[in-house]
Structures are given as C-alpha cells and as structure tokens.
Amino acid sequence: MKTVYSYVKPYWLPALFAFILMLTELFIELVQPLIIAKIIDDGIVVNDIEAIKNWGIVLVFLAIVALIAGIINSYFAAHVAHSFGFDLRNALFSKIQAFTMATYLKFPTSGLITRLTNDVTQVQNVLFMSLRILVRAPLSASLSLVMAFIINPKIALFLLIGAPIVVGFLYFMVKKGITYFAQVQWRLDRVNRVLQECLQAIRLVKAYMRNEYESSRFQQVANSLKLDTTRALRIMEFIMPALLLIMNLSLLAVIWFGSIEVSTGNAQVGELVAIINYAMRVTGNFSMFAFIIIAIARAKASSDRMKEVLLVDGNGLEVEKSESELKNDNLIEEIGTVRFEKVSFTYPNTELLVLSDISFEIKQGEKLAIMGETGSGKTTLLNLLPRFYEPTSGKIFVNGRNVLDWQLEELRAMIGFVPQKSLLFTGSIQENLKWGKQDAIFSEVRLAAEQAQIHETVETFPNKYDTRVGQKGVNLSGGQKQRLSIARALVRKSRILVLDDSTSALDVKTEAALWDALEEENTTMFVVTQKVRTAKTMDKILLLHDGKVEAYGTHDELLQISERYRQIVESQQEQVGEEG
Ligand code: ADP
C-alpha cells in the first residue's frame, strides 16, 4: 500500500490535526458514561440537585465540544482526502502519459480508466473514513471495555464471557472478508470492462446484430459479480448477528450480576449504568466492523491496481536522455533526410520478426510510398520513426542522427503524424487543428485546411472554424475526418510527414488536389497506401512483403524488377477497367 499512501505525506499536518480532533471526540465519548454515573450516584441517589446541575452542565459542555470537534474533523478529513485524491489522480495521469507504447499494451484502456476514476475514489474514501470512524470504532470498542474494567472489574468480567468466540469470529471475518471483497472488486472491474468494450463498439454490435451475444456476455460477468457479492455478504450476515448475539448475552449477564451486586451493596447504581453504557458502545462499534472490512478490502484491491501503474519504471517509461548521453554533433545530413540501416523489429513480449533487415534512404523533400498487403509491417515501420518503439536491431537516422540520440521532444516535433484511424477531440474545428501547435494563428490553420482540401467544407458549417465536433457537434464523414486529421498535421509545418493510409476515404479528385497542394511544401513524406494511383505520384515506392523489402525504387523501376508489384498494378487496372 506504501506507494499509494505516500501521497498523504504532504498533508500530514491537517491529517494529524484531524486525528487529534478524532481522539478528542473519542475521549469525550468515553468519559460521558462516567459523568452519567456521577449524576446518578452523587446526584439522583442522594438527592443532591446541585451535583446534578453541575455535572449536567459538564455533560452538555462536553457534548458541544465533541460536536465542534466532529465538524472541524470532517472539514480537515475531507481536505486531506480530496487533496490526496487530486494528487494521486494527477500522478497516475502523468505516469500513464509517459508510458512507452509497449507498456500501454500491457494495460487495457478500460483498466486504466477504472484506476483513475473508481480506484482513486475508493482509496480516497477510506482515507476520509480513517480520519473519521475507521480507526475510531475499534479504538472506541476496546477502550470502552477497558473503562468498564476500571469502574468495576467484577461486573465487567461478564463482558468477556464470549471473548474467545468473539475474537475467533472477528479473525475469521477479517481474513475471509478482505479476500472475498477483494474478489468482488475484481468482478466489478470485469463488469466495467465488458460494458466499456460494448459501448465503444456499439456500431459493430448493432451491425452484426450481436446484441444478444453481448447481453449474455454481460449477464455472465454480472452473474459472477452477484454470486461473489452474495458469498461475501453471507459471511457478514452470518457473523455479525452471531457477534451481536454474544455481545447481548454478555450484556444480559452484566445486568443480571450487576443488579445482584447493587442489591448487596457491593456496587453503585451509577457504576452499573456506566458499565452497561460502555457495553452498548462496544456492541455499537462492532456493528460497524463489517462496513469497515468492506471499505478496506476495496481500497486494498484499488491501491494494488494503482501500484501497478505507479511502479512502472525504467524501460516501461519514455525518459528523455540527459545532454551528456546525447551525441549532438553528428547532424551531418540535410533536415528531412531519413535512412534505415538493416532495421529489424519484434514487438515486445512476442517472437515474430515483424520487420527484417530493412534498408533504404530518402532525401529531404522526397516522397515515399509504402505498399504491401495487410500485416506486412507498414504501420510498424512508421511507428519506429517517432520512436514509439525502438528497433530490435539496425539503426534509423533522421537528419543523419540516430533516432536513439535525439531528444524525444525534438524528434517528434520534426514529424507530422497522421494515424490510420482519424481521431478528433471534443471541441471546435479550430481547436482540433491547433492541437499540434497551440500558438498557430488563424491564417496558418486556414492554409493547412486548404492544403488538406477541407477548407471549403468547413466554410459550409454553421459556425465555420468554430463549429464543434464530437458530442453535440457536427457529424463528420470518414473522409472529412481524414482531411481534418491531415490538416492538423500540416499546421505543424513538420519537415517529415507520415500518413498511414490516411487518404483511403478520399475520392480521386480530392486526393490528387491534396498531393498537388503538398507538392509546394518541401516536406519529406511517408505515405502508406494500397493504391498504385497514389504510389505513382510519389518519388519512390517501398514494397514490403512479410516484413522484408520486396522491392524499392520508382514506379517504372518496380514494374521492371518486381513480379509482385506488376501483379498489384494489373489487379488495380482490372478494377479500374471494371469500374469504368
Ligand atoms: P500493416 O500496417 O502492413 O498492415 P502492421 O505493421 O500493422 O502491418 O503489422 C505487422 C505485423 O505485426 C502483424 O503480423 C501484426 O500482427 C503484428 N503486430 C502489429 N502490432 C502489434 C503489437 N502491438 N504487438 C504485437 N504484434 C503486433
């Protein structure tokens, strides 16, 4: 638990203050029965009105102090718990942002979301409760017992009749309770995950009419949750009444023996009343135990999960190298030059060689088309360029410098990246386009939109560049999203532009206009494409097959040297013929 709870440290002072106030409340709670005993023995029994009045005033005064202490304690406990939650959430978020791509793959997205939302809340609640009742209930129960003994050990002894059984039950309840409720928490995560997956893929679910399948999948996990929760609660339902029964029997014994002692003059009425009062406190606090166990078990499961994220270190994080580790002097080639030297790559924790012995070079301003069937390694090759992953062997040079010797930030600033799946954020079109360059002025945004062939479309929207996209905004077609996604990369005016099959939804005319517009820019381009028509307009083509370079050269050269390329060309010509 240490890693997670170390975030309480900055708030030790208000936490200590809250703790002291809690002890104040506890102290008052413990002396109250004594004062009541005084009122009975020194006041009511001997008919001393003055004593009743004086002790009464003390009682009321203490009650007011306890009330005020309680209110201030709540205030500080809430302050500590929420500040802790805030810091922890931010720490988790920063940590996740620094994950390498390989680390991301280890955590399902839904799991990360649960950690930042529900898990933080669980631990935050337990911290709040620790400063309120979590510590107080067991303390109050045991100290009440001690007080009963101080008042009259003979009578109080009857409270211990059931002690061995109570201790046994408590031990069993804590042990099983924590295990079972941790299991319940885990089941709840599964329910969340299935729900999240289904919602994310809702179109697919509808299109494939998989509603019933998804419902049954949900029912399965929900049923497991139900069964495990029932099992966990049953333990509590069995043990809690048993415990209370034992406690109440002890209480009966106390009253019975106590009344004999009072009648024989060995004890005073007030003493007996005080002991009964303490006994009731013990019982009352016991009934909170189930609640406390559930809270602790949940927080334990949650903090364990958050610990997994917080403990990611070393190779799991993208860490900028220090100046001394970087060789800054070897910028020997023109900006925008990219060279792959015998690059091979295997994804972390897998065996398959996804890229094997890839070598090629493109000069500043050259445009490279990357072709190859699905799974041939095109996206993987692009992912190595901004160092999402590092090559397993071989070297990649950008501007003549090994990518491993670049500051990540500098390297990535050089590259405009348009991923296969266009993603837009909730916000206006302008905000989306400026996302990669916050200080871009409107004319830059507009130029990028014009080059990406989306400006005219945006002009037709109700609020033009201020039109909102995403939820409650305009609905965009796949092609419009692709063009906005390209425009976002163009705003950055990067020296290297990477387009991962990002023009698939554009019609022939629009795509041609896009390439024409980009011709004016002196940008080195990597364009993954399935279309020979697109590849032809590029300076070079890299044809991949099974992670290896099948052929590399211009369209005409490839026609000469590669049978596979000729086949692709022919199949697309047939298609064009059929379409025409
Ligand atoms: P393409 O873009 O040409 O369709 P990819 O680069 O996406 O091909 O994939 C190449 C190979 O790498 C495939 O066999 C794919 O299964 C594998 N692969 C892709 N991403 C991962 C990953 N994150 N972990 C493990 N293997 C992967």
Side-chain angles (χ1 to χ4, degrees):
M1 296 263 233
K2 195 164 161 274
T3 345
V4 169
Y5 286 96
S6 62
Y7 286 88
V8 188
K9 254 188 226 154
Y11 306 101
W12 70 271
L13 195 63
L16 179 72
F17 199 51
F19 194 75
I20 292 171
L21 287 167
M22 183 268 286
L23 290 181
T24 312
E25 272 184 282
L26 176 64
F27 172 76
I28 293 174
E29 190 187 320
L30 289 173
V31 295
Q32 269 169 348
L34 286 183
I35 297 170
I36 294 170
K38 283 272 177 212
I39 292 178
I40 296 171
D41 293 338
D42 300 352
I44 298 172
V45 174
V46 293
N47 219 357
D48 182 346
I49 303 294
E50 197 60 22
I52 296 176
K53 220 169 77 189
N54 290 342
W55 283 116
I57 290 171
V58 174
L59 200 63
V60 171
F61 173 73
L62 286 179
I64 292 172
V65 173
L67 178 74
I68 294 172
I71 293 171
I72 305 177
N73 167 283
S74 272
Y75 174 84
F76 281 105
H79 169 71
V80 172
H82 287 280
S83 307
F84 157 84
F86 175 78
D87 290 353
L88 181 59
R89 229 173 231 135
N90 281 328
L92 285 167
F93 192 75
S94 304
K95 194 78 181 217
I96 292 171
Q97 297 268 314
F99 276 5
T100 60
M101 293 305 288
T103 314
Y104 277 113
L105 295 180
K106 288 191 205 147
F107 293 94
T109 310
S110 59
L112 290 176
I113 295 176
T114 315
R115 280 173 178 88
L116 259 97
T117 48
N118 181 45
D119 285 342
V120 173
T121 309
Q122 294 289 352
V123 177
Q124 186 179 301
N125 284 347
V126 159
L127 180 62
F128 177 75
M129 287 198 310
S130 306
L131 295 171
R132 294 285 305 142
I133 55 153
L134 219 73
V135 182
R136 192 170 116 193
L139 260 183
S140 169
S142 37
L143 289 179
S144 294
L145 210 57
V146 172
M147 290 301 286
F149 267 90
I150 293 174
I151 294 172
N152 189 321
K154 256 166 85 185
I155 303 179
L157 208 57
F158 282 83
L159 278 177
L160 288 187
I161 292 175
I165 310 174
V166 170
V167 171
F169 270 145
L170 273 181
Y171 177 74
F172 183 72
M173 186 165 93
V174 170
K175 204 161 171 284
K176 286 284 173 204
I178 292 199
T179 321
Y180 285 4
F181 277 106
Q183 176 83 2
V184 167
Q185 191 63 25
W186 186 77
R187 292 280 183 210
L188 191 64
D189 296 340
R190 301 276 310 183
V191 171
N192 282 342
R193 188 187 303 184
V194 170
L195 180 66
Q196 233 160 22
E197 274 175 11
C198 174
L199 292 181
Q200 272 165 1
I202 194 73
R203 273 168 224 247
L204 215 56
V205 173
K206 283 185 186 296
Y208 283 70
M209 294 190 290
R210 295 293 272 173
N211 310 41
E212 272 181 30
Y213 169 78
E214 285 297 316
S215 296
S216 80
R217 203 157 78 99
F218 185 79
Q219 259 169 28
Q220 256 176 27
V221 284
N223 192 41
S224 303
L225 173 66
K226 183 186 85 178
L227 292 178
D228 277 358
T229 315
T230 318
R231 183 180 67 167
L233 286 177
R234 249 184 221 141
I235 291 221
M236 299 294 160
E237 279 159 12
F238 165 69
I239 292 181
M240 282 316 296
L243 272 184
L244 292 181
L245 180 69
I246 296 168
M247 292 309 299
N248 282 327
L249 285 178
S250 306
L251 189 60
L252 269 182
V254 166
I255 296 172
W256 170 73
F257 181 73
S259 59
I260 295 176
E261 290 287 280
V262 170
S263 62
T264 53
N266 288 333
Q268 289 184 304
V269 181
E271 283 176 15
L272 181 60
V273 171
I275 290 182
I276 292 170
N277 221 315
Y278 283 124
M280 308 238 303
R281 270 162 219 261
V282 176
T283 318
N285 282 307
F286 261 39
S287 54
M288 271 184 218
F289 276 25
F291 176 63
I292 291 173
I293 285 173
I294 297 173
I296 290 180
R298 292 214 153 142
K300 163 110 181 48
S302 290
S303 74
D304 282 350
R305 261 201 312 268
M306 287 188 279
K307 215 160 85 172
E308 287 170 6
V309 170
L310 293 170
L311 287 183
V312 171
D313 233 329
N315 289 336
L317 297 181
E318 287 184 331
V319 191
E320 286 287 14
K321 295 185 176 155
S322 67
E323 287 295 328
S324 57
E325 286 173 282
L326 298 170
K327 296 179 214 133
N328 265 335
D329 49 358
N330 59 350
L331 276 185
I332 44 170
E333 288 162 35
E334 278 181 307
I335 296 175
T337 312
V338 177
R339 193 168 71 249
F340 275 57
E341 278 183 12
K342 295 182 176 306
V343 172
S344 296
F345 180 73
T346 303
Y347 277 101
N349 309 319
T350 63
E351 305 273 307
L352 188 75
L353 199 59
V354 173
L355 293 177
S356 155
D357 215 18
I358 308 275
S359 297
F360 67 89
E361 174 171 4
I362 61 170
K363 297 252 181 299
Q364 183 200 16
E366 274 189 334
K367 298 174 177 35
L368 176 74
I370 303 174
M371 297 185 78
E373 61 247 45
T374 316
S376 56
K378 304 180 295 293
T379 300
T380 307
L381 190 148
L382 297 186
N383 281 341
L384 297 183
L385 212 51
R387 218 167 94 203
F388 291 156
Y389 297 96
E390 294 179 5
T392 315
S393 68
K395 289 181 181 149
I396 301 169
F397 295 90
V398 171
N399 301 1
R401 185 195 284 166
N402 191 330
V403 284
L404 302 183
D405 290 333
W406 280 87
Q407 288 282 12
L408 268 184
E409 211 172 297
E410 243 186 305
L411 174 68
R412 291 180 183 169
M414 295 260 310
I415 301 170
F417 201 89
V418 187
Q420 209 163 17
K421 193 173 164 211
S422 352
L423 279 174
L424 295 174
F425 298 92
T426 307
S428 71
I429 294 209
Q430 178 153 208
E431 280 161 0
N432 266 284
L433 296 184
K434 278 185 171 179
W435 192 77
K437 189 177 178 215
Q438 292 294 314
D439 56 355
I441 52 172
F442 181 68
S443 58
E444 293 175 89
V445 170
R446 186 187 154 136
L447 175 68
E450 279 170 357
Q451 288 177 321
Q453 312 300 313
I454 190 70
H455 171 69
E456 282 172 22
T457 314
V458 174
E459 287 289 308
T460 64
F461 291 156
N463 295 318
K464 306 205 158 85
Y465 281 86
D466 292 324
T467 308
R468 289 177 66 80
V469 295
Q471 274 173 4
K472 296 188 189 158
V474 284
N475 280 322
L476 297 166
S477 72
Q480 288 169 338
K481 278 192 203 157
Q482 276 192 341
R483 280 178 281 161
L484 283 173
S485 192
I486 295 171
R488 174 167 59 203
L490 292 178
V491 171
R492 300 180 75 192
K493 288 260 175 234
S494 319
R495 304 308 292 258
I496 300 171
L497 188 61
V498 174
L499 300 161
D500 189 356
D501 213 0
S502 328
T503 54
S504 55
L506 304 194
D507 60 67
V508 181
K509 222 174 102 201
T510 312
E511 195 183 335
L514 168 73
W515 301 132
D516 279 348
L518 290 180
E519 201 58 50
E520 298 155 18
E521 300 283 321
N522 192 18
T523 314
T524 308
M525 274 180 14
F526 286 75
V527 179
V528 165
T529 181
Q530 305 287 350
K531 297 180 266 188
V532 173
R533 175 166 39 79
T534 306
K536 251 165 111 171
T537 63
M538 305 287 145
D539 300 307
K540 295 259 176 64
I541 301 168
L542 179 76
L543 179 61
L544 292 178
H545 179 66
D546 264 353
K548 298 192 189 68
V549 178
E550 166 82 12
Y552 176 57
T554 61
H555 170 74
D556 291 335
E557 285 166 354
L558 258 61
L559 280 177
Q560 299 283 324
I561 55 173
S562 169
E563 174 59 27
R564 201 177 295 276
Y565 188 70
R566 278 197 295 274
Q567 281 171 5
I568 300 171
V569 174
E570 274 163 28
S571 70
Q572 295 198 7
Q573 271 168 351
E574 277 166 27
Q575 266 178 21
V576 174
E578 280 164 20
E579 282 165 19

